[in-house]
């Protein structure tokens, strides 16, 4: 790959060891609170340390967060739209996604193929930029889903290409085997680093059951929300790319 990034949850500490590489840029996945009270994961890409601190201060106030993202012209996305990973969802959440989020994650390397297909369909329906990412928590899954911009020679051209709609996503979706393997790898690393955790090794027999249950819940979440959202009539006031803070702040207030 020509470029790579790391999106830890609400943190950029994991990027410290990678900053020196010329083909790496710092990103993160913010856990944000919607006006409805539900939570959503927002990917924010190519951020500076000072911007990271500002993002954390605003993640519980979506309007303030969107204002800041617009002012700084940061590239951002709403991730795994049809996943129950962050808990419950409300129909008004999707209205916010439609109006104010220019980019959707349409291929996640650990989400069900059905969820990814519905996210891609919704992105086309709402004229959104589509991106992909592996969502890897262990090395075997790194790079299993990714975003391409043909002809981009550097980071600037990569993001310019995405904003202009000439990018595409590639790679594979998630499945039971893939997730289970990642969880076993994580458990093995934990036991290697902290020997006392090996006492919990008998619980490893339960891992396949937990991962299977997770995907059952994901399937039910997708089955509930995809028909509702995809059947909604399109609105005329739709954001493809936010060019200034007033588009978010003034209109929503």
């Amino acid at each position: 790959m020509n470029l790579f990034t790391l999106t830890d949850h609400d943190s950029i500490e994991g990027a410290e060891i990678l900053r020196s590489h010329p083909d790496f840029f710092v990103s993160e996945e913010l856990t944000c609170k919607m006006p409805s009270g539900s939570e959503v994961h927002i990917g924010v890409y190519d951020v500076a340390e000072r911007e990271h601190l500002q993002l954390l201060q605003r993640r519980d106030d979506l309007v303030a967060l969107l204002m800041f993202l617009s002012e700084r012209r940061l590239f951002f996305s709403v991730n795994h739209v049809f996943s129950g990973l962050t808990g419950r969802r409300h129909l008004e959440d999707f209205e916010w996604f439609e109006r104010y989020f220019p980019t959707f994650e349409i291929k996640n390397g650990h989400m069900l193929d059905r969820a990814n297909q519905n996210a891609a369909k919704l992105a086309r329906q709402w004229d959104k930029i589509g991106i992909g990412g592996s969502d890897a928590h262990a090395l075997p899954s790194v790079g299993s889903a990714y975003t391409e911009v043909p002809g981009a020679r550097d980071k600037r051209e990569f993001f310019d290409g995405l904003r202009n709609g000439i990018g595409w996503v590639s790679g594979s979706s998630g499945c039971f085997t893939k997730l289970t393997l990642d969880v076993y790898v994580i458990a093995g690393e934990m036991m290697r680093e902290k020997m006392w955790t090996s006492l919990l090794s008998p619980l490893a027999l339960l891992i396949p059951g937990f991962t299977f249950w997770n995907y059952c819940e994901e399937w039910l979440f997708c089955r509930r929300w995809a028909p509702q959202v995809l059947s909604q009539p399109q609105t005329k006031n739709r954001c493809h790319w936010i060019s200034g803070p007033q588009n978010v702040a003034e209109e929503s207030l």
Side-chain angles (χ1 to χ4, degrees):
M1 291 188 177
N2 303 101
L3 291 168
F4 69 102
T5 191
L6 179 68
T7 54
D8 277 343
H9 289 283
D10 308 309
S11 173
I12 60 172
E13 291 182 13
E16 289 299 325
I17 196 173
L18 301 168
R19 287 177 184 269
S20 60
H21 294 274
D23 52 354
F24 176 79
F25 58 92
V26 179
S27 305
E28 64 183 301
E29 187 174 48
L30 285 174
T31 304
C32 302
K33 184 161 289 186
M34 300 293 293
S36 66
S38 60
E39 289 187 341
V40 64
H41 285 163
I42 298 176
V44 187
Y45 304 91
D46 194 23
V47 300
E49 186 168 353
R50 185 168 59 180
E51 290 171 333
H52 160 67
L53 297 175
Q54 298 278 359
L55 290 169
L56 290 182
Q57 291 174 3
R58 292 166 170 79
R59 62 179 178 153
D60 289 333
D61 184 342
L62 186 64
V63 173
L65 177 64
L66 292 172
M67 287 175 61
F68 181 78
L69 291 168
S70 301
E71 290 167 358
R72 295 302 178 98
R73 193 79 175 141
L74 290 171
F75 192 89
F76 66 99
S77 66
V78 56
N79 293 347
H80 33 76
V81 175
F82 290 110
S83 168
L85 188 63
T86 56
R88 68 186 189 281
R89 183 74 73 228
H90 298 276
L91 191 58
E92 67 177 89
D93 297 338
F94 291 96
E95 296 172 1
W96 281 88
F97 300 159
E98 180 185 10
R99 292 169 68 91
Y100 300 119
F101 286 79
T103 308
F104 280 17
E105 180 190 64
I106 62 173
K107 176 150 288 190
N108 180 300
H110 270 305
M111 293 294 131
L112 290 172
D113 188 57
R114 178 175 181 176
N116 285 334
Q117 288 183 14
N118 285 325
K121 184 177 180 180
L122 188 63
R124 291 192 299 269
Q125 183 173 308
W126 287 351
D127 192 25
K128 302 293 185 179
I129 301 167
I131 61 170
S134 62
D135 200 8
H137 290 72
L139 286 176
S141 297
V142 171
S144 58
Y146 49 93
T147 310
E148 296 184 79
V149 174
R153 294 168 295 181
D154 53 33
K155 181 179 66 177
R156 181 184 61 80
E157 291 185 0
F158 176 78
F159 283 112
D160 285 346
L162 286 179
R163 289 185 171 99
N164 290 323
I166 61 173
W168 67 65
V169 299
S170 302
S172 60
S173 299
C175 65
F176 167 77
T177 304
K178 188 176 180 182
L179 179 60
T180 303
L181 175 61
D182 266 19
V183 176
Y184 272 120
V185 170
I186 294 169
E189 284 297 307
M190 181 177 67
M191 293 177 188
R192 185 180 64 84
E193 293 178 5
K194 299 179 180 180
M195 295 300 296
W196 68 267
T197 59
S198 61
L199 297 174
L200 304 175
S201 57
L203 296 177
L205 297 174
L206 301 177
I207 288 176
F210 282 117
T211 54
F212 178 76
W213 178 258
N214 170 74
Y215 275 131
C216 287
E217 289 191 325
E218 290 289 282
W219 183 83
L220 291 172
F221 187 95
C222 190
R223 182 183 180 185
R224 175 190 176 189
W225 282 109
Q228 291 189 58
V229 178
L230 291 170
S231 64
Q232 291 289 316
Q234 299 182 30
T235 63
K236 294 182 179 180
N237 190 4
R238 189 169 64 245
C239 169
H240 184 261
W241 183 258
I242 299 173
S243 58
Q246 67 277 6
N247 293 345
V248 175
E250 294 178 5
E251 190 174 343
S252 60
L253 294 174

